[in-house]
Amino acid sequence: MSADVSSATRRRFLRLALGATVAAPLATSAGCSVLNGSSSNDSSSQGSSNGLEKSKITVGILTSQGSAGAKLAEKFGYFKQQGLDVTIKPITAGPQAIPALINGELDFTVINYVSFYQAIGAKTLDAKVVVDGDTANENSQMVVAKPDSGISSPKDLAGKKIGIQASKSAAELLVRAQLKDNDVDPNSVTYLPITFPNIPAAIASGQLDAGVEVEPYLTTAEQKQGLQPVMKIITGSTANMPNTGYIAMSKFINANPKTVAAFQRAMIPAQTDAADRSKISQVLPELSGVDQATAALLNLDTFPTSNNATQLQRVITLLQNYGGMTAQLNASDYLVPTPKV
């Protein structure tokens, strides 16, 4: 194991030894009550006394840190301050929200950027990024394996079976990029689509040699299965890689510019709060399904307060280099500028 990963591992296990408790069952169901947000009446109601084109909106969120801003905006009243009556609707995976976004069931939704630009490149979605949700941290997304796996460096992954959430997912592309950066043939690995919650058990049973994990599953995999990080995937060429964002259909954005701006203004203080451990800890248990003690151990991502086309272009480049994307996309064409507050 490399020195930096080994050091990081020792620090993580020290934290776990000091504060770990057995995690509560993780929320993986779209209908899980822990994610239910505030209710509203007819979310399609148009017009309001506050000048917004549409004051009642529905926002799709994931069980991930990228959705923390929406939960904080709900909890601390930032949506209401902007005249928005928001219904938060849980979804199991970003791509599954696309049909609901297209047919108007959702007005905004959180989606991982790889899936978003894949859909844009395939011309199956006409949407734009409204709010940048989160940027991955080098310790919040890692390849993990059993301590006795014999895997301690990228070269040890050659010939191994790695769990990557889904084919051509961000997890797979990031692993490919890191293997390439470390002079390992990305095609020397077998990539198996197994979802994050199921990867630890698949490693423990021998179905996988290793797997990509993200929080909160990264921490709970250490607690429950004793897995340990063996390779960072958010480092070097992939350092500070944009992870998820809130998107809306272009048609909705054009028809409701004041509503979109109000949503963005509500999210700015919420994103600021997400960087505050004392505040984000108030929504992480409800959001991720882990208990308060485990939530305190999670490695936090970075939560941007403005949209950055240059940063998002890196996701497109990642797709072009490792995801087979041939479309030439300009991130600024699929981005709504952040309003001044």
Side-chain angles (χ1 to χ4, degrees):
M1 182 182 299
S2 62
D4 61 339
V5 173
S6 177
S7 177
T9 301
R10 288 196 296 271
R11 289 196 299 270
R12 288 181 62 80
F13 277 112
L14 178 59
R15 291 189 298 111
L16 293 173
L18 291 173
T21 55
V22 177
L26 294 172
T28 58
S29 169
C32 189
S33 61
V34 299
L35 288 176
N36 288 341
S38 61
S39 62
S40 68
N41 296 322
D42 180 9
S43 64
S44 64
S45 297
Q46 300 289 335
S48 67
S49 59
N50 55 27
L52 303 181
E53 301 90 356
K54 185 176 184 180
S55 60
K56 295 182 179 181
I57 60 174
T58 303
V59 181
I61 66 169
L62 299 166
T63 56
S64 72
Q65 293 188 52
S67 298
K71 293 299 293 181
L72 289 164
E74 176 190 50
K75 181 176 182 64
F76 293 116
Y78 301 138
F79 286 138
K80 289 183 179 180
Q81 290 173 14
Q82 296 297 326
L84 294 170
D85 182 357
V86 177
T87 296
I88 290 182
K89 183 175 181 179
I91 51 179
T92 55
Q96 296 177 5
I98 291 178
L101 192 69
I102 292 174
N103 66 27
E105 292 178 43
L106 298 175
D107 299 303
F108 302 90
T109 192
V110 177
I111 190 171
N112 72 80
Y113 284 124
V114 166
S115 295
F116 172 67
Y117 289 118
Q118 284 172 333
I120 294 294
K123 299 183 178 180
T124 58
L125 179 67
D126 182 6
K128 293 182 179 180
V129 176
V130 176
V131 172
D132 192 359
D134 68 324
T135 298
N137 179 290
E138 67 173 9
N139 292 319
S140 64
Q141 296 189 23
M142 302 185 79
V143 176
V144 297
K146 291 190 290 187
D148 60 355
S149 65
I151 300 172
S152 60
S153 71
K155 289 181 171 58
D156 297 327
L157 291 171
K160 298 297 193 296
K161 295 175 291 186
I162 300 180
I164 41 79
Q165 175 73 0
S167 179
K168 299 301 180 184
S169 64
E172 178 180 345
L173 304 190
L174 290 167
V175 169
R176 286 181 175 274
Q178 282 307 308
L179 291 176
K180 182 70 172 179
D181 286 353
N182 286 276
D183 299 320
V184 179
D185 180 3
N187 293 321
S188 66
V189 167
T190 299
Y191 302 93
L192 296 179
I194 297 179
T195 58
F196 294 133
N198 295 318
I199 282 176
I203 293 174
S205 68
Q207 182 181 355
L208 295 173
D209 297 301
V212 175
E213 271 303 3
V214 300
E215 293 290 21
Y217 309 112
L218 179 58
T219 291
T220 56
E222 294 180 1
Q223 291 176 326
K224 292 185 175 182
Q225 284 86 9
L227 302 184
Q228 65 181 26
V230 295
M231 186 178 78
K232 295 181 178 181
I233 58 174
I234 306 296
T235 186
S237 66
T238 61
N240 302 313
M241 184 64 68
N243 192 36
T244 68
Y246 297 76
I247 65 171
M249 296 296 293
S250 297
K251 181 179 179 180
F252 178 88
I253 293 168
N254 293 335
N256 303 278
K258 294 180 181 178
T259 298
V260 171
F263 180 80
Q264 291 178 304
R265 287 194 298 269
M267 289 295 293
I268 291 172
Q271 292 288 100
T272 300
D273 286 351
D276 183 334
R277 173 70 78 167
S278 67
K279 291 183 178 179
I280 194 173
S281 291
Q282 297 180 47
V283 299
L284 278 178
E286 181 183 7
L287 182 66
S288 63
V290 298
D291 58 35
Q292 191 68 250
T294 303
L297 301 175
L298 303 184
N299 289 288
L300 297 183
D301 288 337
T302 300
F303 302 90
T305 55
S306 62
N307 296 331
N308 186 322
T310 301
Q311 266 288 84
L312 294 180
Q313 192 69 39
R314 297 176 61 217
V315 182
I316 296 172
T317 300
L318 184 71
L319 274 161
Q320 292 168 335
N321 290 343
Y322 301 102
M325 174 180 280
T326 58
Q328 298 300 309
L329 304 180
N330 187 334
S332 62
D333 293 337
Y334 307 97
L335 185 67
V336 179
T338 304
K340 293 182 179 179
V341 293

